[in-house]
Amino acid sequence: MTNTEKYRFETKAVHGTYKSSMHHDSLVTPLYQTSTFTFSSLDQGARRFAGEESGYVYSRLSNPTVAEFESRMAELEEGEEALAFGSGMAAVSAALIGLTKAGDHILCSKGLYGCTFGLLELLNEKYSITHSFSTFLTVEEIRASITDKTACIYIETPINPTMHVINLPLVVAVAKEHGVPVIVDNTFLTPYLQKPLALGCDLVIHSATKYIGGHGDVVAGVMVGSTNLIQGIRKTVQKDIGGILAPFDAWLLIRGLKTLPVRMDRHCENAEKIVEKLKIHPKVKTVYYPEIKGRLEKQMERSGGVLAFELNGSEESVKEFMNELSLISIAVSLGDTETLIQHPASMTHAVVPEGIRKEMGISNKLLRLSVGLEFWEDIWKDLENALDKIS
Ligand SMILES: *Cc1c(COP(=O)(O)O)cnc(C)c1O
């Protein structure tokens, strides 16, 4: 499959599985902006449709630029195969639809991306696929949360936006006892900082919109897992529901992947410095950012570029603070070169009912900061200035 297994992550991120000799010696992966592929004869077309001859057929089924992105992601996540989608939610929904049937149960982390929560409600309403939440803190708790209807476990770690970390090897150990596959949304850390498949999880999902693309110019998703799982979803849910990735977006994502390690190093460095400053500021009540120690060292290399914090003071002062910022943009999404701040209770997690939101640890005063690639002191000065202005 690859000739780069001997190389380190940074080298694989640049070169991937790309062979210029297969593409007129083009250094960079060409953009195959085509909807369909021609057959030299009726017989050849029939053989390609039957899967008896390799080659492309139609871009909803596969496209060379998209396939190049998929093979790079599989290599970086240390999975057998990857499958790209038109958004992170297209990947999440394909995974949950692919691994469940009517009447099944999904066990989730207590804290999920807002639209993933919305999707679970939809699956429940339309197909009676139920879900429940677990903190996944102890073997006993996990065992008690799995029922004979549990079709999969769906986890975010660190959880968006509270940055709570779940012990993946512990979950995997109990899930294996019950033969239940574990899906991990690895959007926040990327394979550079965390490789859930290497820890025994079964499927990794990304909103590639975030750090994978990294430049705020594409909406995309991807999943990585065993050939068996991926082919199952490719040939059914993706083919027939059709949430595919466009070739140009795949091209942008390949471009993004090449600088992923460099960007992640700087995102982490900047975030660590901002966390230290926020922690000692009198107007800041709590800072949420995973501390790497003990077991976590085995699971994640570093804590990533996203953090959350709560201000001292009223909900009104949260508004004042946000409106005082000038370098930092008020926007959802994360993992971009620009530093972005958002208010989960009224934005990304507004769809979650207030009671459940509180249980997830999302108060009306919680803010999520995606630390960008600007010089860290410029980011801090903007935050400090706004903090000093609030009453
Ligand atoms: C953004 C996000 C998603 C959804 O991805 P889209 O690309 O916006 O569809 C899913 N999970 C997490 C953790 C996210 O941050």
Side-chain angles (χ1 to χ4, degrees):
M1 182 184 87
T2 87
N3 60 352
T4 57
E5 263 151 22
K6 59 180 186 279
Y7 296 122
R8 291 275 297 267
F9 191 97
E10 292 83 344
T11 312
K12 291 180 192 177
V14 173
H15 293 272
T17 51
Y18 180 68
K19 283 200 180 67
S20 57
S21 58
M22 309 274 288
H23 301 277
H24 302 286
D25 305 319
S26 169
L27 173 70
V28 169
T29 311
L31 169 58
Y32 287 90
Q33 188 70 27
T34 184
S35 56
T36 198
F37 299 83
T38 59
F39 310 127
S40 61
S41 67
L42 174 63
D43 282 346
Q44 189 191 44
R47 284 198 302 276
R48 289 210 184 156
F49 263 87
E52 292 161 9
E53 179 187 302
S54 65
Y56 293 92
V57 170
Y58 183 63
S59 282
R60 176 157 44 73
L61 311 181
S62 194
N63 169 285
T65 312
V66 177
E68 170 70 21
F69 169 63
E70 290 170 340
S71 82
R72 284 171 178 256
M73 279 305 302
E75 190 181 39
L76 295 177
E77 279 286 6
E78 297 181 9
E80 287 174 1
E81 268 190 53
L83 186 56
F85 291 84
S87 71
M89 286 315 302
V92 174
S93 56
L96 292 182
I97 292 167
L99 294 182
T100 58
K101 59 181 189 317
D104 278 348
H105 167 251
I106 302 169
L107 180 61
C108 306
S109 52
K110 202 168 182 176
L112 286 174
Y113 181 68
C115 294
T116 304
F117 181 86
L119 172 69
L120 289 167
E121 300 266 278
L122 181 81
L123 291 174
N124 191 9
E125 277 164 33
K126 292 184 83 85
Y127 308 111
S128 303
I129 297 167
T130 62
H131 59 269
S132 60
F133 300 101
S134 170
T135 59
F136 295 105
L137 281 177
T138 63
V139 170
E140 292 69 33
E141 191 208 340
I142 305 169
R143 275 194 193 130
S145 315
I146 295 175
T147 74
D148 57 357
K149 297 274 187 209
T150 306
C152 60
I153 293 177
Y154 187 94
I155 287 175
E156 280 180 24
T157 180
I159 295 176
N160 178 12
T162 55
M163 303 309 289
H164 182 80
V165 173
I166 290 173
N167 182 346
L168 291 176
L170 181 78
V171 177
V172 166
V174 183
K176 289 223 187 300
E177 287 172 8
H178 296 78
V180 176
V182 178
I183 309 171
V184 177
D185 182 333
N186 201 24
T187 300
F188 270 44
L189 291 184
T190 82
Y192 183 57
L193 300 176
Q194 176 172 270
K195 294 185 187 67
L197 299 176
L199 299 170
C201 300
D202 298 280
L203 196 65
V204 166
I205 292 180
H206 285 276
S207 167
T209 312
K210 316 293 168 55
Y211 288 109
I212 302 290
H215 293 74
D217 50 15
V218 58
V219 173
V222 64
M223 62 170 68
V224 189
S226 67
T227 296
N228 188 29
L229 265 180
I230 297 293
Q231 285 294 333
I233 294 171
R234 185 189 282 281
K235 289 177 178 162
T236 58
V237 188
Q238 198 196 44
K239 175 172 77 67
D240 298 332
I241 297 181
I244 59 149
L245 182 66
F248 180 58
D249 291 345
W251 189 90
L252 286 171
L253 293 173
I254 294 167
R255 192 180 205 263
L257 273 183
K258 295 183 184 189
T259 56
L260 178 70
V262 180
R263 288 186 286 110
M264 291 315 289
D265 282 344
R266 181 60 65 86
H267 281 299
C268 291
E269 229 168 84
N270 281 357
E272 286 161 13
K273 285 176 172 147
I274 299 292
V275 165
E276 287 316 309
K277 290 286 189 188
L278 284 173
K279 269 188 179 164
I280 54 173
H281 197 285
K283 299 261 175 73
V284 176
K285 189 169 150 218
T286 324
V287 181
Y288 300 91
Y289 188 67
E291 270 184 45
I292 303 277
K293 56 183 181 209
R295 64 174 172 82
L296 288 185
E297 278 168 21
K298 296 196 189 86
Q299 178 169 321
M300 49 203 269
E301 298 283 334
R302 261 170 118 168
S303 299
V306 180
L307 60 101
F309 60 99
E310 259 169 1
L311 298 179
N312 279 319
S314 63
E315 286 179 33
E316 198 51 39
S317 57
V318 173
K319 252 185 222 166
E320 282 174 47
F321 169 77
M322 296 275 274
N323 294 335
E324 278 298 333
L325 295 167
S326 72
L327 176 71
I328 299 171
S329 303
I330 303 175
V332 296
S333 201
L334 57 100
D336 295 338
T337 53
E338 293 80 2
T339 297
L340 306 177
I341 195 163
Q342 69 111 356
H343 180 240
S346 68
M347 296 177 181
T348 51
H349 291 68
V351 295
V352 181
E354 190 165 3
I356 302 178
R357 217 161 54 215
K358 292 261 149 71
E359 273 181 42
M360 290 177 171
I362 305 169
S363 78
N364 291 340
K365 290 194 245 171
L366 186 77
L367 295 172
R368 188 188 75 189
L369 186 73
S370 168
V371 181
L373 301 180
E374 302 95 338
F375 184 60
W376 79 272
E377 274 186 343
D378 292 333
I379 304 169
W380 171 244
K381 276 183 202 148
D382 199 33
L383 290 167
E384 192 179 37
N385 174 58
L387 285 168
D388 290 343
K389 293 263 170 66
I390 60 174
S391 39

